[in-house]
Amino acid sequence: MAALRSDTENPPSPRPMPPLNAVSFRNDAVTIGPILPEDTGPMFIWMNDVEAARLDLAFRPTDWIAFKSWLDELPRNSAQLLFAIRKTFEPQIIGFIVFKNIQMVHRAADVGVRIGAEAERGEGYGPRALELAMNYAWNHLNLRRLSLTVFAHNTRAIASYRKVGFQEEGRFKDAAFIDGEWVDVIPMAALNPRG
């Protein structure tokens, strides 16, 4: 009769990575990579999330026709780029990162990040995905500067952006009218450490 082995003698095999990870940038927590057809449904819902909108834009419902038109235009628009965010060992989308206003002459772009479900927010996925996006911007797009804006009351996002190297560049007083109130908008930027 064979002796039983303890877990230390026969450690469990690591979880297999989804095939999509092979075409995605990844770290130990998340991947950023291509958008798949099945990702568009959750993205459409997240873009129409009234509660989430209070944290980063004035809410305006997006209809499916406008959303699909935007998706269809992405491959033809060199000034925009969209990545799906996924947990490293799970294939379903949990958020997205978008580069907008990519300006190759000025080596600059705007960036936005959204973690879709409230249950996934505050778990560190946003900053970890943003780190991957920043590395992509520096090492593949050869950008010098990434910028974004954030509402002053979105303290969790501000802390995340600071954590990955974004710095505040001032404050626009009462620059946005959100849910019946004027809020300040904070521009933030990160520079390529290699110039």
Side-chain angles (χ1 to χ4, degrees):
M1 187 169 180
L4 296 175
R5 293 184 180 196
S6 71
D7 284 344
T8 55
E9 293 174 0
N10 190 15
S13 60
R15 291 188 287 177
M17 289 202 174
L20 191 56
N21 283 8
V23 294
S24 300
F25 298 98
R26 63 185 175 276
N27 55 37
D28 62 331
V30 296
T31 69
I32 62 169
I35 298 290
L36 300 175
E38 59 266 27
D39 299 334
T40 60
M43 288 177 60
F44 178 71
I45 298 298
W46 300 334
M47 292 180 92
N48 283 291
D49 182 341
V50 178
E51 293 301 316
R54 289 185 178 118
L55 297 175
D56 62 9
L57 52 92
F59 178 72
R60 180 180 180 184
T62 302
D63 63 59
W64 178 255
I65 295 168
F67 178 67
K68 184 166 182 335
S69 177
W70 175 69
L71 288 175
D72 290 343
E73 181 61 26
L74 276 170
R76 294 183 289 278
N77 185 348
S78 62
Q80 290 194 56
L81 186 58
L82 180 66
F83 287 102
I85 302 171
R86 305 174 201 283
K87 294 179 188 176
T88 301
F89 292 99
E90 297 177 21
Q92 66 272 15
I93 189 171
I94 64 166
F96 59 90
I97 288 187
V98 61
F99 288 101
K100 299 180 287 188
N101 304 318
I102 299 171
Q103 302 172 38
M104 299 314 289
V105 171
H106 303 297
R107 296 178 56 206
D110 299 328
V111 66
V113 60
R114 167 78 60 96
I115 299 298
E118 179 59 38
E120 305 285 2
R121 296 181 194 137
E123 299 296 318
Y125 301 127
R128 296 304 305 275
L130 191 52
E131 287 174 329
L132 291 171
M134 292 168 72
N135 285 333
Y136 176 79
W138 308 152
N139 298 325
H140 296 275
L141 296 179
N142 193 29
L143 297 183
R144 168 86 172 112
R145 175 186 169 86
L146 288 175
S147 58
L148 56 84
T149 58
V150 60
F151 294 154
H153 65 268
N154 194 349
T155 55
R156 184 167 62 188
I158 293 169
S160 292
Y161 299 145
R162 284 182 182 146
K163 181 178 180 179
V164 298
F166 280 79
Q167 296 180 356
E168 295 179 27
E169 295 190 319
R171 179 178 291 245
F172 302 122
K173 299 293 287 180
D174 292 344
F177 191 69
I178 304 300
D179 200 25
E181 296 180 0
W182 290 102
V183 298
D184 294 351
V185 175
I186 299 173
M188 301 180 77
L191 298 178
N192 186 334
R194 292 180 302 281

